[in-house]
């Protein structure tokens, strides 16, 4: 116990947004100090991380879909939860040590944001991975609560605050009041499913096979949920399914909008379900407070306009929506002694 406290004295406490696509780390007093893809490159058939354990993050993402037979680039989280326990542990250890810039005497307290809809087993897996990666004490906070705090919403007041956090693996929709989740919908439809929808559209309409990274580039470059003032076009390269040779074609934002219609409307459905379960007094608050959007998916062109049109409430996108969850974990870190009563720990998950 004394040794743990001694190590803790030499460690910096951190908040972690453990995302399906990216992991962000926030340090007390410094803000966000790390933002890297949640990707690890390993030797195929083993869990041995390449480059002496350093093929993590950006260096590993560059290998996605381009590795030879003996190397595998893995995203150890799927739909916001841990799909590969051992690889997640190694990824977390790498990030924790990178923040400290050393490999010894590192035992921080860690606040991790998790999807609100995960099971007790998945919750336990997050805690175990962080502890084995070197965390002295692990606290869990629901992603929508962290996103709401990071977006500056008055979640501690007796007033309804509504957040829509569209991440890589999950979309979290929640109404909050008095530091609690009044109602929350967590669906496993988000950025990854949008990319998949684009891959399927290109296969179905162009007989062209493209990779997930190409689909993501298309989404960022010309993707939209609502009509644009000036529609966009983009040249796309892939493999022709008929002849098996490389080929390129041109697609428009109109086509990509059609491809993204289903995942976007699934998110709208989750918002409607949350509003239907909101008590009337809090629902009345939302007429004025509106809906705040966070997460990378909220940057899809026109998605705020579509939601506003569908639910007839004002919608705004948070400042720097990509970092809302991480900044929220940082706020918990700043007042950990006060907030620890509303955070889950290993004892709660036992």
């Amino acid at each position: 116990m004394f040794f743990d406290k001694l190590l803790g004295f030499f460690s910096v406490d951190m908040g972690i947004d453990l995302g399906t696509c990216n992991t962000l780390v926030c340090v007390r007093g410094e803000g966000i100090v790390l933002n890297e893809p949640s990707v690890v490159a390993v030797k195929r058939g083993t869990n041995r991380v390449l480059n002496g354990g350093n093929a993590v993050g950006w260096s590993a993402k560059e290998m996605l879909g381009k590795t030879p037979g003996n190397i595998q680039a893995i995203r150890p989280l799927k739909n916001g939860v841990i799909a590969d326990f051992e690889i997640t542990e190694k990824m977390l250890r790498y990030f924790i040590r990178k923040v400290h810039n050393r490999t010894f005497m590192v035992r921080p307290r860690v606040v991790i944001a998790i999807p609100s809809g995960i099971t007790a087993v998945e919750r336990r897996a997050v805690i175990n991975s962080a502890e084995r990666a070197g965390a002295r004490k692990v606290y869990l906070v629901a992603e929508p609560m962290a996103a709401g705090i990071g977006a500056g919403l008055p979640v501690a007041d007796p007033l309804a605050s509504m957040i829509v956090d569209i991440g890589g693996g999950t979309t979290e929709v929640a109404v909050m009041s008095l530091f609690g989740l009044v109602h929350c919908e967590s669906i496993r439809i988000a950025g990854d499913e949008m990319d998949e929808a684009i891959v399927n559209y290109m296969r179905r309409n162009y007989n062209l096979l493209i990779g997930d990274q190409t689909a993501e580039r298309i989404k960022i470059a010309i993707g939209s949920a609502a009509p644009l003032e000036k529609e966009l076009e983009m040249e796309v390269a892939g493999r022709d399914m008929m002849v098996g040779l490389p080929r390129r074609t041109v697609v428009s934002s109109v086509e990509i909008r059609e491809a993204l219609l289903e995942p976007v409307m699934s998110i709208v459905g989750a918002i409607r379900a949350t509003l239907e379960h909101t008590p009337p007094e809090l629902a009345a608050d939302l007429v004025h407070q509106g809906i705040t959007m966070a997460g990378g998916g909220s940057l899809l062109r026109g998605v705020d306009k579509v939601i506003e049109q569908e639910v007839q409430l004002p919608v705004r996108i948070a400042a720097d929506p990509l970092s809302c969850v991480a900044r929220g974990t940082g706020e918990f870190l700043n007042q950990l002694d006060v907030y620890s009563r509303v955070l889950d720990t290993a004892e709660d998950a036992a």
Side-chain angles (χ1 to χ4, degrees), residues 5-244:
K5 288 184 178 178
L6 180 64
L7 290 178
F9 182 75
F10 292 101
S11 304
V12 292
D13 295 340
M14 56 182 67
I16 299 177
D17 174 11
L18 190 60
T20 304
C21 293
N22 292 284
T23 295
L24 286 78
V25 177
C26 186
V27 169
R28 190 204 307 252
E30 295 183 38
I32 294 168
V33 296
L34 183 144
N35 180 357
E36 296 210 26
S38 302
V39 184
V40 181
V42 299
K43 185 175 175 61
R44 190 176 292 275
T46 74
N47 282 332
R48 184 162 63 83
V49 182
L50 300 177
N51 299 341
N54 293 320
V56 179
W58 288 113
S59 61
K61 184 172 183 180
E62 291 171 359
M63 304 180 193
L64 274 175
K66 299 181 179 181
T67 55
N70 63 329
I71 296 174
Q72 188 175 13
I74 297 173
R75 290 173 61 180
L77 290 107
K78 186 167 179 61
N79 296 325
V81 298
I82 294 174
D84 191 313
F85 182 88
E86 192 173 342
I87 298 298
T88 300
E89 176 196 327
K90 291 179 178 179
M91 182 180 75
L92 279 172
R93 180 179 287 114
Y94 171 83
F95 289 148
I96 289 171
R97 289 177 173 178
K98 187 172 183 178
V99 168
H100 284 83
N101 201 27
R102 63 178 189 271
T103 60
F104 60 93
M105 298 186 78
V106 176
R107 293 283 284 167
R109 292 184 299 176
V110 176
V111 176
I112 300 179
I114 56 170
S116 58
I118 70 172
T119 66
V121 173
E122 291 165 340
R123 191 180 298 261
R124 180 75 248 181
V126 173
I127 293 172
N128 287 345
S129 291
E131 287 177 343
R132 291 177 59 173
R136 178 168 97 257
K137 179 85 172 178
V138 182
Y139 299 92
L140 302 182
V141 58
E143 272 181 19
M145 181 63 72
I149 291 172
L153 298 181
V155 299
D157 296 346
L159 182 72
S161 297
M162 186 169 184
I163 190 85
V164 177
D165 178 21
I166 308 174
T170 62
T171 294
E172 305 282 319
V173 185
V175 173
M176 299 165 288
S177 177
L178 294 171
F179 247 120
L181 298 178
V182 177
H183 186 78
C184 184
E185 295 281 331
S186 180
I187 60 170
R188 299 189 176 188
I189 295 173
D192 284 352
E193 281 64 31
M194 292 182 188
D195 296 344
E196 189 178 331
I198 293 172
V199 170
N200 293 336
Y201 183 90
M202 296 301 295
R203 182 192 293 126
R204 188 171 59 247
N205 291 274
Y206 285 91
N207 287 322
L208 192 70
L209 282 175
I210 62 171
D212 292 339
Q213 292 213 73
T214 299
E216 184 181 27
R217 285 195 294 271
I218 294 170
K219 178 181 68 179
I220 293 169
I222 64 172
S224 69
L228 304 175
E229 285 186 18
K230 182 181 179 182
E231 298 294 349
L232 306 169
E233 288 188 342
M234 178 180 178
E235 186 177 83
V236 178
R239 191 177 85 228
D240 191 303
M241 292 174 62
M242 304 299 288
V243 297

Side-chain angles (χ1 to χ4, degrees), residues 224-290:
S224 69
L228 304 175
E229 285 186 18
K230 182 181 179 182
E231 298 294 349
L232 306 169
E233 288 188 342
M234 178 180 178
E235 186 177 83
V236 178
R239 191 177 85 228
D240 191 303
M241 292 174 62
M242 304 299 288
V243 297
L245 298 176
R247 176 167 65 87
R248 59 187 177 186
T249 189
V250 175
V251 295
S252 71
S253 53
V254 176
E255 294 173 287
I256 300 306
R257 185 159 61 248
E258 180 187 337
L260 295 175
L261 180 62
E262 187 175 338
V264 167
M265 293 315 293
S266 295
I267 292 168
V268 170
I271 295 170
R272 285 183 176 277
T274 302
L275 290 169
E276 287 168 4
H277 287 89
T278 301
E281 289 294 339
L282 292 174
D285 292 339
L286 294 175
V287 173
H288 306 289
Q289 293 288 103

